Amino acid sequence: MVDVSQTESYARAGELLRALAAPVRIAIVTELATNGERHVHELVERLRVAQPLVSQHLRVLRAAGVVRAERHGREIAYSLVDDHVAHIVADAVTHAAEPRS
């Protein structure tokens, strides 16, 4: 039987996993975890994805509380809110790369 107090945590975890359920968003989280704060143009260059698409994915990640945005003059720099999500993504990528039996 599921503890009622856990139900909200499970729902929030499901929302987080849905927010991460796109290869570009996984790549963004990995890039921010590996190299720290990045501007949109740096993510575009590194990931080789169109700027509007990167911006759209960043909006999803911001709404899910995965990344934060900080204005630096005319540009916005993005960083991870904490390392928990970086660990989830790294574990998922490692698991996906393992041979299946």
Side-chain angles (χ1 to χ4, degrees), residues 7-50:
T7 304
E8 184 176 333
S9 294
Y10 291 154
R12 291 176 58 194
E15 291 171 15
L16 171 63
L17 292 173
R18 277 189 294 281
L20 294 172
V24 172
R25 292 195 286 270
I26 291 170
I28 289 170
V29 170
T30 300
E31 178 66 19
L32 295 175
T34 303
N35 297 306
E37 184 177 89
R38 292 285 176 256
H39 295 100
V40 173
H41 70 86
E42 293 171 313
L43 292 169
V44 166
E45 183 178 304
R46 178 76 174 150
L47 303 177
R48 294 188 172 108
V49 178

Side-chain angles (χ1 to χ4, degrees), residues 29-100:
V29 170
T30 300
E31 178 66 19
L32 295 175
T34 303
N35 297 306
E37 184 177 89
R38 292 285 176 256
H39 295 100
V40 173
H41 70 86
E42 293 171 313
L43 292 169
V44 166
E45 183 178 304
R46 178 76 174 150
L47 303 177
R48 294 188 172 108
V49 178
Q51 184 273 324
L53 188 58
V54 169
S55 293
Q56 178 183 7
H57 285 295
L58 285 166
R59 276 192 294 278
V60 172
L61 293 171
R62 279 184 72 188
V66 174
V67 301
R68 71 170 62 89
E70 186 177 320
R71 184 165 292 282
H72 293 181
R74 295 175 60 195
E75 294 188 291
I76 298 175
Y78 291 88
S79 60
L80 294 177
V81 170
D82 62 45
D83 289 337
H84 291 111
V85 175
H87 294 294
I88 292 168
V89 168
D91 287 345
V93 171
T94 299
H95 178 75
E98 292 175 350
R100 295 184 184 190

